[in-house]
Amino acid sequence: MEQMKVILSIVERGQGAAMLRLYRKRYVPIHIQCSGKGTATSEIMDILGLGSSEKDVLISFAAASAARKLLHDLDNELRGHTGGAGIVVSIPVSGLNSLVANLAAYHAENLKEKGETEMERTENSLILVVCARGCTDDVMSTAKAHGARGGTVIKGRLSGRKELEQAYEVELKAEREIVAIVVPTALRAPIMEAINAQHGLRSEAQAALCSLPIEQIVRL
């Protein structure tokens, strides 16, 4: 079976539904849509003419050929036709349940007749920081001090915290925020080390973090 990818799309609020329709036409059928917020202040957004900091976040599953074709089209013939600014990245998947993978692969079969489009792999990484709600400004300040340009915040809730509390002898806050930061891979280690040192699990932010490799990236 063809390798699977996750396509992470962060676009302006209200554009998620339009992007979803566009993706379905290009053989990417499976999506999770949620809400996020950019870390730039509204004043900075107004100065730069970037619209609202409120974001739609799409997590899509696709066969590798469909993901490559979609990002190629977004970077070329569809550029300027997506209705707003944003970022789209593809991330490799090491495992996926068979029903989802089979559906994604089935939709990608139509691409074989058209031929696949190659894109160069990027030297970028996605850092995910899960921290206590209300601490994202401090986390982003640390990240920016080490080269990050910005991020997107998604609200969440910690599950399974009793096991973590017992293992590390700390009382964890359930309400969480996930900060997604795209950075050049060369900056990944210093940013993660700084966040962990200043906002780690035993700090007020109680942050846990990981990084994922980005194979392709398109800035809308």
Side-chain angles (χ1 to χ4, degrees), residues 19-46:
M19 296 295 285
L20 190 150
R21 291 192 295 270
L22 178 67
Y23 288 7
R24 284 176 174 165
K25 292 179 181 178
R26 281 165 171 76
Y27 317 110
V28 179
I30 306 166
H31 313 271
I32 300 169
Q33 183 172 348
C34 47
S35 298
K37 186 172 184 177
T39 56
T41 64
S42 58
E43 290 84 359
I44 292 175
M45 299 294 288
D46 291 340

Side-chain angles (χ1 to χ4, degrees), residues 108-144:
E109 282 293 314
N110 294 310
L111 284 175
K112 291 184 177 179
E113 299 177 1
K114 301 180 180 181
E116 292 189 23
T117 303
E118 292 295 331
M119 287 184 68
E120 293 185 7
R121 294 194 176 191
T122 69
E123 293 297 327
N124 294 279
S125 295
L126 173 67
I127 299 174
L128 297 176
V129 185
V130 183
C131 62
R133 190 164 295 181
C135 295
T136 53
D137 287 346
D138 292 337
V139 169
M140 275 308 308
S141 292
T142 300
K144 287 180 177 179

